[in-house]
Every structure is written in C-alpha cells, then in structure tokens.
Amino acid sequence: MRFDIFTLFPEMFAGVFDTSILKRAREARLVEIFLHDIRDFTTDKHHVTDDYAYAGGGGMVMKPEPIFTAVETILGAPPRVPVILLTPQGRVFNQAIARELAQHSHIALICGHYEGVDERVREHLATDEISIGDYVLTGGEIPAMVIVDAVARLIPGVLGHPSAASNDSHASGLLEGPQYTRPAEFRGWRVPEILLSGNHAQVAKWRRQQALRRTFERRPDLLARANLTDEDRAFIESLKQQNKS
Ligand code: ADE
C-alpha cells in the first residue's frame, strides 16, 4: 500500500517510519511512504505557505496554491486516490475507519498546520476529513502518523502472526483480555492456571469471557455495538447480577 503525505514538516516523520514494524514493512515493500514538503511547491521567492486570515480572526491560514500544486503534481488532477485532510473537524478515526482505508492500495494525507487550511482545499481537493480525537494538536503530522500506523498493521504480512491484528482490542468490537508471558509466577503473582492447562476450548472460552468482562467494566458503550452470541449475552447478564449484589 502506498501513502503520500503532504506536510510542511517532513522531518517530523523520521523515527516513526524508520523503526520497528513500519521499518520492516517498508523494507519488504508492503508499505511505501512518500513524504512531500509543501514548501517545495511554492512559486514565490520566499516560499510562503501561509497568510493572514481574511477579515481578521487572528492567526495564519495555510494558502491553497502550494497544497493544490503539490497534490496535483504528485497524484494528477484530479487525484484518483482518496485525499484525506487531517483536521479536528473530520470524522473521528477508529478501527472501522482503519479497516476501510486498508482496502485501498493508495491514499494521500494532507497535514494542516497553524490555525487551519484555506477552505477551498477542503471543498475542492480533499475527498475525506479525519480527526484522531476531540482535542487539538499543533498540526496534522502526528494524526497522519497515527493513521499510517493503524492502517499499515492491517495489511497482510505486516504483522508477524497472521491472526495478530484480528485478536486486537477493537478488532472484534471488544477490548482484549489480559495477556501473560513467562514466568508462570512473578513475585508470588501466578498466571491464571487455565492458561497453563493446554485445554484449548477452555482457554478460548476464558479469553472470550475476559474480553467481555473488561469491555463491560471499562467500555460498556462498545458492548452495545459488538457482535455477541447468546452465550456472550448470558455471561454479561451474570456480570450485571454480580454488580448488583
Ligand atoms: N490537527 C489538529 N488537531 C487534530 C486532530 N485532533 N485530528 C486531526 N488533525 C488535527
């Protein structure tokens, strides 16, 4: 999958994309990331990328011309791939959106900065707007990293184990239950015996119940939307009864 990222600060991405799983995915050509410095697409002597907001309002706004030129030079006019503007006004990113984006072979991300981006970018260039949460960052660079990371790990082959992504918290609509590794006893705290039992059916049942319990305790809002069996519902009902007593 290819990502084209348009930013005023390409140097911010070094480290995140050059480490660990993303580094390996790039080396294996499962993920290609191209960083484009919007400033390189200015045509004036001083390479200006922002200007005062019309009619005051305070703060600087990113100019439309270098952004349009950058995106259209790299991707053609009009671009034939999703062009996502990172903005706190976008739809709020989640695992379902990560899965949706992972279906594409190529996407573009535009990182806003300063007070915002000229509205014509949103209206006539972006095909989608995404926020990573209800808080305001200094720019769209960290959100772009978040999206690349969450999407890239869903691409087959990027994670070592084929089922690693499908067991994650949120993948099934539930939080994942507790995880343990060796030693079986640490400072007197033992790993639950069931995990050492070798009984795969019982372990699977225990894991499911732990995921349901954790989601019930921490994110009951997720349970309302999760895919639940009759057995799951009966277990949640028993948790509710325990809570009452
Ligand atoms: N730019 C600034 N804050 C942001 C957010 N929360 N999500 C996406 N882009 C942003």
Side-chain angles (χ1 to χ4, degrees):
M1 178 167 181
R2 170 171 169 165
F3 298 87
D4 282 279
I5 301 175
F6 297 87
T7 170
L8 288 174
F9 302 100
E11 65 277 10
M12 283 180 72
F13 295 84
V16 172
F17 291 162
D18 298 327
T19 312
S20 183
I21 291 173
L22 288 181
K23 178 185 182 185
R24 255 196 291 123
R26 294 177 73 192
E27 285 169 353
R29 296 270 182 280
L30 294 167
V31 171
E32 287 184 296
I33 303 172
F34 295 94
L35 292 165
H36 308 286
D37 190 337
I38 293 168
R39 200 172 300 281
D40 293 343
F41 296 87
T42 51
T43 50
D44 62 306
K45 195 165 110 205
H46 298 291
H47 303 293
V48 174
T49 58
D50 59 341
D51 205 340
Y52 294 99
Y54 267 118
M60 305 301 279
V61 174
M62 281 174 76
K63 292 167 67 61
E65 308 95 307
I67 301 177
F68 271 81
T69 305
V71 172
E72 291 175 345
T73 301
I74 302 299
L75 301 175
R80 295 188 190 287
V81 304
V83 177
I84 301 165
L85 178 66
L86 284 322
T87 157
Q89 299 185 5
R91 56 189 180 131
V92 180
F93 192 60
N94 60 22
Q95 195 64 25
I97 298 177
R99 274 195 294 269
E100 174 194 319
L101 298 180
Q103 300 304 308
H104 295 278
S105 58
H106 187 179
I107 64 172
L109 300 161
I110 302 174
C111 306
H113 227 89
Y114 311 117
E115 297 305 307
V117 175
D118 187 282
E119 185 70 4
R120 288 161 290 191
V121 171
R122 192 188 67 72
E123 282 185 322
H124 304 293
L125 186 62
T127 58
D128 195 357
E129 295 170 66
I130 294 181
S131 163
I132 63 160
D134 290 340
Y135 42 82
V136 181
L137 300 165
T138 55
E141 283 75 15
I142 293 171
M145 294 176 209
V146 167
I147 289 173
V148 170
D149 190 285
V151 172
R153 63 192 293 291
L154 298 178
I155 297 168
V158 167
L159 296 185
H161 195 286
S163 66
S166 53
N167 290 335
D168 290 332
S169 288
H170 297 294
S172 66
L174 298 177
L175 301 182
E176 202 177 4
Q179 307 269 25
Y180 295 89
T181 185
R182 286 184 286 187
E185 184 170 332
F186 169 68
R187 296 190 176 177
W189 300 308
R190 282 197 62 75
V191 170
E193 288 306 320
I194 180 88
L195 294 178
L196 312 177
S197 70
N199 184 333
H200 298 298
Q202 285 299 317
V203 168
K205 180 174 173 186
W206 181 85
R207 284 226 165 94
R208 181 75 184 172
Q209 292 188 343
Q210 292 294 319
L212 290 165
R213 179 190 297 275
R214 194 150 273 198
T215 311
F216 175 76
E217 286 169 352
R218 301 185 182 195
R219 293 292 305 277
D221 58 303
L222 295 178
L223 280 181
R225 279 175 278 140
N227 234 333
L228 301 178
T229 64
D230 288 345
E231 200 180 336
D232 292 338
R233 286 181 209 287
F235 181 70
I236 292 164
E237 208 39 55
S238 75
L239 294 176
K240 284 186 188 160
Q241 294 308 323
Q242 281 171 33
N243 264 22
K244 279 185 199 156
S245 58

PDB file of all heavy atoms in Angstrom, residues 137-171:
ATOM      1  N   LEU A 137      -4.312  19.418  18.180  1.00  0.00           N
ATOM      2  CA  LEU A 137      -2.857  19.299  18.123  1.00  0.00           C
ATOM      3  C   LEU A 137      -2.303  20.484  17.342  1.00  0.00           C
ATOM      4  O   LEU A 137      -3.055  21.261  16.762  1.00  0.00           O
ATOM      5  CB  LEU A 137      -2.491  17.980  17.445  1.00  0.00           C
ATOM      6  CG  LEU A 137      -3.024  16.744  18.181  1.00  0.00           C
ATOM      7  CD1 LEU A 137      -2.955  15.517  17.299  1.00  0.00           C
ATOM      8  CD2 LEU A 137      -2.243  16.526  19.463  1.00  0.00           C
ATOM      9  N   THR A 138      -0.977  20.606  17.321  1.00  0.00           N
ATOM     10  CA  THR A 138      -0.385  21.745  16.608  1.00  0.00           C
ATOM     11  C   THR A 138      -0.431  21.539  15.096  1.00  0.00           C
ATOM     12  O   THR A 138      -0.214  22.482  14.342  1.00  0.00           O
ATOM     13  CB  THR A 138       1.079  21.953  17.036  1.00  0.00           C
ATOM     14  OG1 THR A 138       1.786  20.728  16.844  1.00  0.00           O
ATOM     15  CG2 THR A 138       1.162  22.369  18.494  1.00  0.00           C
ATOM     16  N   GLY A 139      -0.697  20.322  14.645  1.00  0.00           N
ATOM     17  CA  GLY A 139      -0.774  20.091  13.211  1.00  0.00           C
ATOM     18  C   GLY A 139      -1.224  18.679  12.910  1.00  0.00           C
ATOM     19  O   GLY A 139      -1.429  17.870  13.820  1.00  0.00           O
ATOM     20  N   GLY A 140      -1.351  18.389  11.627  1.00  0.00           N
ATOM     21  CA  GLY A 140      -1.859  17.079  11.199  1.00  0.00           C
ATOM     22  C   GLY A 140      -0.785  16.004  11.089  1.00  0.00           C
ATOM     23  O   GLY A 140      -1.081  14.872  10.702  1.00  0.00           O
ATOM     24  N   GLU A 141       0.474  16.333  11.451  1.00  0.00           N
ATOM     25  CA  GLU A 141       1.554  15.351  11.261  1.00  0.00           C
ATOM     26  C   GLU A 141       1.380  14.143  12.177  1.00  0.00           C
ATOM     27  O   GLU A 141       1.474  12.998  11.718  1.00  0.00           O
ATOM     28  CB  GLU A 141       2.924  16.018  11.482  1.00  0.00           C
ATOM     29  CG  GLU A 141       3.393  16.869  10.308  1.00  0.00           C
ATOM     30  CD  GLU A 141       2.679  18.214  10.175  1.00  0.00           C
ATOM     31  OE1 GLU A 141       2.016  18.632  11.160  1.00  0.00           O
ATOM     32  OE2 GLU A 141       2.781  18.841   9.108  1.00  0.00           O
ATOM     33  N   ILE A 142       1.182  14.378  13.466  1.00  0.00           N
ATOM     34  CA  ILE A 142       1.012  13.243  14.385  1.00  0.00           C
ATOM     35  C   ILE A 142      -0.247  12.440  14.007  1.00  0.00           C
ATOM     36  O   ILE A 142      -0.189  11.206  13.931  1.00  0.00           O
ATOM     37  CB  ILE A 142       1.049  13.700  15.861  1.00  0.00           C
ATOM     38  CG1 ILE A 142       2.473  14.192  16.187  1.00  0.00           C
ATOM     39  CG2 ILE A 142       0.635  12.579  16.799  1.00  0.00           C
ATOM     40  CD1 ILE A 142       2.614  14.865  17.534  1.00  0.00           C
ATOM     41  N   PRO A 143      -1.371  13.101  13.699  1.00  0.00           N
ATOM     42  CA  PRO A 143      -2.519  12.325  13.197  1.00  0.00           C
ATOM     43  C   PRO A 143      -2.180  11.485  11.958  1.00  0.00           C
ATOM     44  O   PRO A 143      -2.613  10.334  11.855  1.00  0.00           O
ATOM     45  CB  PRO A 143      -3.555  13.412  12.878  1.00  0.00           C
ATOM     46  CG  PRO A 143      -3.252  14.494  13.870  1.00  0.00           C
ATOM     47  CD  PRO A 143      -1.750  14.503  13.996  1.00  0.00           C
ATOM     48  N   ALA A 144      -1.389  12.016  11.034  1.00  0.00           N
ATOM     49  CA  ALA A 144      -1.019  11.231   9.842  1.00  0.00           C
ATOM     50  C   ALA A 144      -0.211  10.003  10.253  1.00  0.00           C
ATOM     51  O   ALA A 144      -0.415   8.900   9.724  1.00  0.00           O
ATOM     52  CB  ALA A 144      -0.230  12.089   8.857  1.00  0.00           C
ATOM     53  N   MET A 145       0.691  10.167  11.224  1.00  0.00           N
ATOM     54  CA  MET A 145       1.470   9.019  11.708  1.00  0.00           C
ATOM     55  C   MET A 145       0.545   7.975  12.326  1.00  0.00           C
ATOM     56  O   MET A 145       0.726   6.769  12.121  1.00  0.00           O
ATOM     57  CB  MET A 145       2.488   9.469  12.764  1.00  0.00           C
ATOM     58  CG  MET A 145       3.572  10.376  12.228  1.00  0.00           C
ATOM     59  SD  MET A 145       4.621  10.930  13.613  1.00  0.00           S
ATOM     60  CE  MET A 145       5.150  12.521  12.967  1.00  0.00           C
ATOM     61  N   VAL A 146      -0.424   8.452  13.089  1.00  0.00           N
ATOM     62  CA  VAL A 146      -1.370   7.537  13.749  1.00  0.00           C
ATOM     63  C   VAL A 146      -2.118   6.720  12.694  1.00  0.00           C
ATOM     64  O   VAL A 146      -2.251   5.493  12.798  1.00  0.00           O
ATOM     65  CB  VAL A 146      -2.360   8.342  14.628  1.00  0.00           C
ATOM     66  CG1 VAL A 146      -3.537   7.492  15.073  1.00  0.00           C
ATOM     67  CG2 VAL A 146      -1.632   8.934  15.832  1.00  0.00           C
ATOM     68  N   ILE A 147      -2.575   7.396  11.656  1.00  0.00           N
ATOM     69  CA  ILE A 147      -3.362   6.708  10.628  1.00  0.00           C
ATOM     70  C   ILE A 147      -2.490   5.721   9.855  1.00  0.00           C
ATOM     71  O   ILE A 147      -2.883   4.568   9.638  1.00  0.00           O
ATOM     72  CB  ILE A 147      -4.043   7.741   9.713  1.00  0.00           C
ATOM     73  CG1 ILE A 147      -5.160   8.423  10.521  1.00  0.00           C
ATOM     74  CG2 ILE A 147      -4.596   7.085   8.442  1.00  0.00           C
ATOM     75  CD1 ILE A 147      -5.825   9.575   9.835  1.00  0.00           C
ATOM     76  N   VAL A 148      -1.297   6.134   9.452  1.00  0.00           N
ATOM     77  CA  VAL A 148      -0.409   5.216   8.720  1.00  0.00           C
ATOM     78  C   VAL A 148      -0.125   3.982   9.582  1.00  0.00           C
ATOM     79  O   VAL A 148      -0.179   2.846   9.102  1.00  0.00           O
ATOM     80  CB  VAL A 148       0.907   5.915   8.313  1.00  0.00           C
ATOM     81  CG1 VAL A 148       1.920   4.902   7.785  1.00  0.00           C
ATOM     82  CG2 VAL A 148       0.635   6.987   7.261  1.00  0.00           C
ATOM     83  N   ASP A 149       0.153   4.181  10.855  1.00  0.00           N
ATOM     84  CA  ASP A 149       0.481   3.069  11.735  1.00  0.00           C
ATOM     85  C   ASP A 149      -0.709   2.110  11.868  1.00  0.00           C
ATOM     86  O   ASP A 149      -0.566   0.891  11.704  1.00  0.00           O
ATOM     87  CB  ASP A 149       0.898   3.619  13.104  1.00  0.00           C
ATOM     88  CG  ASP A 149       1.478   2.539  13.998  1.00  0.00           C
ATOM     89  OD1 ASP A 149       0.707   1.710  14.526  1.00  0.00           O
ATOM     90  OD2 ASP A 149       2.709   2.506  14.170  1.00  0.00           O
ATOM     91  N   ALA A 150      -1.884   2.662  12.145  1.00  0.00           N
ATOM     92  CA  ALA A 150      -3.072   1.818  12.367  1.00  0.00           C
ATOM     93  C   ALA A 150      -3.473   1.084  11.091  1.00  0.00           C
ATOM     94  O   ALA A 150      -3.931  -0.068  11.156  1.00  0.00           O
ATOM     95  CB  ALA A 150      -4.237   2.671  12.870  1.00  0.00           C
ATOM     96  N   VAL A 151      -3.307   1.719   9.933  1.00  0.00           N
ATOM     97  CA  VAL A 151      -3.695   1.097   8.665  1.00  0.00           C
ATOM     98  C   VAL A 151      -2.639   0.080   8.229  1.00  0.00           C
ATOM     99  O   VAL A 151      -2.975  -1.040   7.827  1.00  0.00           O
ATOM    100  CB  VAL A 151      -3.914   2.173   7.570  1.00  0.00           C
ATOM    101  CG1 VAL A 151      -4.136   1.532   6.208  1.00  0.00           C
ATOM    102  CG2 VAL A 151      -5.101   3.070   7.941  1.00  0.00           C
ATOM    103  N   ALA A 152      -1.366   0.456   8.355  1.00  0.00           N
ATOM    104  CA  ALA A 152      -0.293  -0.415   7.850  1.00  0.00           C
ATOM    105  C   ALA A 152      -0.316  -1.773   8.543  1.00  0.00           C
ATOM    106  O   ALA A 152      -0.103  -2.812   7.902  1.00  0.00           O
ATOM    107  CB  ALA A 152       1.067   0.253   8.038  1.00  0.00           C
ATOM    108  N   ARG A 153      -0.593  -1.797   9.848  1.00  0.00           N
ATOM    109  CA  ARG A 153      -0.539  -3.075  10.565  1.00  0.00           C
ATOM    110  C   ARG A 153      -1.678  -4.015  10.174  1.00  0.00           C
ATOM    111  O   ARG A 153      -1.670  -5.191  10.521  1.00  0.00           O
ATOM    112  CB  ARG A 153      -0.474  -2.863  12.081  1.00  0.00           C
ATOM    113  CG  ARG A 153      -1.665  -2.185  12.670  1.00  0.00           C
ATOM    114  CD  ARG A 153      -1.395  -1.756  14.098  1.00  0.00           C
ATOM    115  NE  ARG A 153      -1.221  -2.879  15.011  1.00  0.00           N
ATOM    116  CZ  ARG A 153      -2.191  -3.708  15.374  1.00  0.00           C
ATOM    117  NH1 ARG A 153      -3.403  -3.572  14.878  1.00  0.00           N
ATOM    118  NH2 ARG A 153      -1.953  -4.682  16.216  1.00  0.00           N
ATOM    119  N   LEU A 154      -2.674  -3.502   9.420  1.00  0.00           N
ATOM    120  CA  LEU A 154      -3.762  -4.357   8.932  1.00  0.00           C
ATOM    121  C   LEU A 154      -3.428  -4.982   7.579  1.00  0.00           C
ATOM    122  O   LEU A 154      -4.143  -5.862   7.103  1.00  0.00           O
ATOM    123  CB  LEU A 154      -5.056  -3.530   8.798  1.00  0.00           C
ATOM    124  CG  LEU A 154      -5.580  -2.932  10.105  1.00  0.00           C
ATOM    125  CD1 LEU A 154      -6.828  -2.103   9.847  1.00  0.00           C
ATOM    126  CD2 LEU A 154      -5.878  -4.034  11.116  1.00  0.00           C
ATOM    127  N   ILE A 155      -2.368  -4.528   6.941  1.00  0.00           N
ATOM    128  CA  ILE A 155      -2.007  -5.057   5.622  1.00  0.00           C
ATOM    129  C   ILE A 155      -1.408  -6.455   5.811  1.00  0.00           C
ATOM    130  O   ILE A 155      -0.496  -6.630   6.633  1.00  0.00           O
ATOM    131  CB  ILE A 155      -1.010  -4.111   4.929  1.00  0.00           C
ATOM    132  CG1 ILE A 155      -1.684  -2.750   4.699  1.00  0.00           C
ATOM    133  CG2 ILE A 155      -0.504  -4.707   3.616  1.00  0.00           C
ATOM    134  CD1 ILE A 155      -0.725  -1.652   4.290  1.00  0.00           C
ATOM    135  N   PRO A 156      -1.935  -7.433   5.085  1.00  0.00           N
ATOM    136  CA  PRO A 156      -1.440  -8.803   5.269  1.00  0.00           C
ATOM    137  C   PRO A 156       0.081  -8.873   5.130  1.00  0.00           C
ATOM    138  O   PRO A 156       0.644  -8.312   4.198  1.00  0.00           O
ATOM    139  CB  PRO A 156      -2.143  -9.584   4.146  1.00  0.00           C
ATOM    140  CG  PRO A 156      -3.391  -8.798   3.875  1.00  0.00           C
ATOM    141  CD  PRO A 156      -3.017  -7.356   4.098  1.00  0.00           C
ATOM    142  N   GLY A 157       0.718  -9.534   6.097  1.00  0.00           N
ATOM    143  CA  GLY A 157       2.171  -9.700   6.061  1.00  0.00           C
ATOM    144  C   GLY A 157       2.925  -8.709   6.920  1.00  0.00           C
ATOM    145  O   GLY A 157       4.088  -8.932   7.253  1.00  0.00           O
ATOM    146  N   VAL A 158       2.272  -7.597   7.296  1.00  0.00           N
ATOM    147  CA  VAL A 158       2.995  -6.565   8.066  1.00  0.00           C
ATOM    148  C   VAL A 158       3.256  -7.044   9.498  1.00  0.00           C
ATOM    149  O   VAL A 158       4.349  -6.862  10.025  1.00  0.00           O
ATOM    150  CB  VAL A 158       2.243  -5.214   8.031  1.00  0.00           C
ATOM    151  CG1 VAL A 158       2.804  -4.247   9.061  1.00  0.00           C
ATOM    152  CG2 VAL A 158       2.327  -4.615   6.627  1.00  0.00           C
ATOM    153  N   LEU A 159       2.269  -7.655  10.122  1.00  0.00           N
ATOM    154  CA  LEU A 159       2.499  -8.216  11.461  1.00  0.00           C
ATOM    155  C   LEU A 159       2.999  -9.643  11.303  1.00  0.00           C
ATOM    156  O   LEU A 159       2.616 -10.345  10.362  1.00  0.00           O
ATOM    157  CB  LEU A 159       1.211  -8.205  12.284  1.00  0.00           C
ATOM    158  CG  LEU A 159       0.640  -6.821  12.600  1.00  0.00           C
ATOM    159  CD1 LEU A 159      -0.572  -6.960  13.518  1.00  0.00           C
ATOM    160  CD2 LEU A 159       1.683  -5.925  13.240  1.00  0.00           C
ATOM    161  N   GLY A 160       3.841 -10.068  12.216  1.00  0.00           N
ATOM    162  CA  GLY A 160       4.445 -11.398  12.107  1.00  0.00           C
ATOM    163  C   GLY A 160       3.415 -12.514  12.042  1.00  0.00           C
ATOM    164  O   GLY A 160       3.452 -13.357  11.163  1.00  0.00           O
ATOM    165  N   HIS A 161       2.447 -12.482  12.946  1.00  0.00           N
ATOM    166  CA  HIS A 161       1.485 -13.570  13.069  1.00  0.00           C
ATOM    167  C   HIS A 161       0.210 -13.196  12.318  1.00  0.00           C
ATOM    168  O   HIS A 161      -0.323 -12.119  12.544  1.00  0.00           O
ATOM    169  CB  HIS A 161       1.198 -13.800  14.558  1.00  0.00           C
ATOM    170  CG  HIS A 161       0.517 -15.101  14.836  1.00  0.00           C
ATOM    171  ND1 HIS A 161      -0.807 -15.308  14.539  1.00  0.00           N
ATOM    172  CD2 HIS A 161       0.976 -16.247  15.368  1.00  0.00           C
ATOM    173  CE1 HIS A 161      -1.134 -16.539  14.899  1.00  0.00           C
ATOM    174  NE2 HIS A 161      -0.062 -17.130  15.396  1.00  0.00           N
ATOM    175  N   PRO A 162      -0.292 -14.079  11.432  1.00  0.00           N
ATOM    176  CA  PRO A 162      -1.443 -13.698  10.608  1.00  0.00           C
ATOM    177  C   PRO A 162      -2.669 -13.289  11.416  1.00  0.00           C
ATOM    178  O   PRO A 162      -3.450 -12.449  10.963  1.00  0.00           O
ATOM    179  CB  PRO A 162      -1.749 -14.948   9.786  1.00  0.00           C
ATOM    180  CG  PRO A 162      -0.628 -15.893   9.995  1.00  0.00           C
ATOM    181  CD  PRO A 162       0.204 -15.426  11.150  1.00  0.00           C
ATOM    182  N   SER A 163      -2.865 -13.869  12.635  1.00  0.00           N
ATOM    183  CA  SER A 163      -4.077 -13.525  13.385  1.00  0.00           C
ATOM    184  C   SER A 163      -3.820 -12.410  14.392  1.00  0.00           C
ATOM    185  O   SER A 163      -4.716 -12.036  15.138  1.00  0.00           O
ATOM    186  CB  SER A 163      -4.626 -14.757  14.110  1.00  0.00           C
ATOM    187  OG  SER A 163      -3.711 -15.152  15.104  1.00  0.00           O
ATOM    188  N   ALA A 164      -2.592 -11.850  14.418  1.00  0.00           N
ATOM    189  CA  ALA A 164      -2.269 -10.840  15.438  1.00  0.00           C
ATOM    190  C   ALA A 164      -3.257  -9.687  15.406  1.00  0.00           C
ATOM    191  O   ALA A 164      -3.769  -9.259  16.441  1.00  0.00           O
ATOM    192  CB  ALA A 164      -0.845 -10.339  15.251  1.00  0.00           C
ATOM    193  N   ALA A 165      -3.557  -9.170  14.217  1.00  0.00           N
ATOM    194  CA  ALA A 165      -4.438  -8.000  14.141  1.00  0.00           C
ATOM    195  C   ALA A 165      -5.874  -8.367  14.471  1.00  0.00           C
ATOM    196  O   ALA A 165      -6.612  -7.555  15.022  1.00  0.00           O
ATOM    197  CB  ALA A 165      -4.361  -7.359  12.758  1.00  0.00           C
ATOM    198  N   SER A 166      -6.292  -9.610  14.171  1.00  0.00           N
ATOM    199  CA  SER A 166      -7.702  -9.933  14.397  1.00  0.00           C
ATOM    200  C   SER A 166      -8.003 -10.153  15.872  1.00  0.00           C
ATOM    201  O   SER A 166      -9.156 -10.121  16.287  1.00  0.00           O
ATOM    202  CB  SER A 166      -8.115 -11.146  13.560  1.00  0.00           C
ATOM    203  OG  SER A 166      -7.237 -12.209  13.806  1.00  0.00           O
ATOM    204  N   ASN A 167      -6.985 -10.377  16.723  1.00  0.00           N
ATOM    205  CA  ASN A 167      -7.208 -10.544  18.164  1.00  0.00           C
ATOM    206  C   ASN A 167      -7.160  -9.234  18.931  1.00  0.00           C
ATOM    207  O   ASN A 167      -7.440  -9.205  20.124  1.00  0.00           O
ATOM    208  CB  ASN A 167      -6.141 -11.469  18.768  1.00  0.00           C
ATOM    209  CG  ASN A 167      -6.331 -12.894  18.306  1.00  0.00           C
ATOM    210  OD1 ASN A 167      -7.432 -13.284  17.948  1.00  0.00           O
ATOM    211  ND2 ASN A 167      -5.259 -13.660  18.293  1.00  0.00           N
ATOM    212  N   ASP A 168      -6.772  -8.150  18.273  1.00  0.00           N
ATOM    213  CA  ASP A 168      -6.587  -6.892  18.989  1.00  0.00           C
ATOM    214  C   ASP A 168      -7.826  -6.393  19.689  1.00  0.00           C
ATOM    215  O   ASP A 168      -8.933  -6.673  19.250  1.00  0.00           O
ATOM    216  CB  ASP A 168      -6.274  -5.757  17.992  1.00  0.00           C
ATOM    217  CG  ASP A 168      -4.930  -5.890  17.396  1.00  0.00           C
ATOM    218  OD1 ASP A 168      -4.064  -6.466  18.045  1.00  0.00           O
ATOM    219  OD2 ASP A 168      -4.778  -5.393  16.272  1.00  0.00           O
ATOM    220  N   SER A 169      -7.581  -5.552  20.700  1.00  0.00           N
ATOM    221  CA  SER A 169      -8.675  -4.748  21.219  1.00  0.00           C
ATOM    222  C   SER A 169      -9.278  -3.989  20.040  1.00  0.00           C
ATOM    223  O   SER A 169      -8.545  -3.518  19.166  1.00  0.00           O
ATOM    224  CB  SER A 169      -8.154  -3.737  22.240  1.00  0.00           C
ATOM    225  OG  SER A 169      -7.775  -4.384  23.434  1.00  0.00           O
ATOM    226  N   HIS A 170     -10.598  -3.894  20.002  1.00  0.00           N
ATOM    227  CA  HIS A 170     -11.354  -3.160  18.984  1.00  0.00           C
ATOM    228  C   HIS A 170     -11.564  -3.946  17.697  1.00  0.00           C
ATOM    229  O   HIS A 170     -12.507  -3.668  16.961  1.00  0.00           O
ATOM    230  CB  HIS A 170     -10.742  -1.794  18.654  1.00  0.00           C
ATOM    231  CG  HIS A 170     -10.732  -0.874  19.834  1.00  0.00           C
ATOM    232  ND1 HIS A 170     -11.902  -0.397  20.392  1.00  0.00           N
ATOM    233  CD2 HIS A 170      -9.735  -0.378  20.577  1.00  0.00           C
ATOM    234  CE1 HIS A 170     -11.606   0.374  21.421  1.00  0.00           C
ATOM    235  NE2 HIS A 170     -10.288   0.391  21.567  1.00  0.00           N
ATOM    236  N   ALA A 171     -10.686  -4.937  17.400  1.00  0.00           N
ATOM    237  CA  ALA A 171     -10.850  -5.644  16.126  1.00  0.00           C
ATOM    238  C   ALA A 171     -12.207  -6.344  16.090  1.00  0.00           C
ATOM    239  O   ALA A 171     -12.896  -6.331  15.086  1.00  0.00           O
ATOM    240  CB  ALA A 171      -9.720  -6.640  15.918  1.00  0.00           C
TER     241      ALA A 171
END
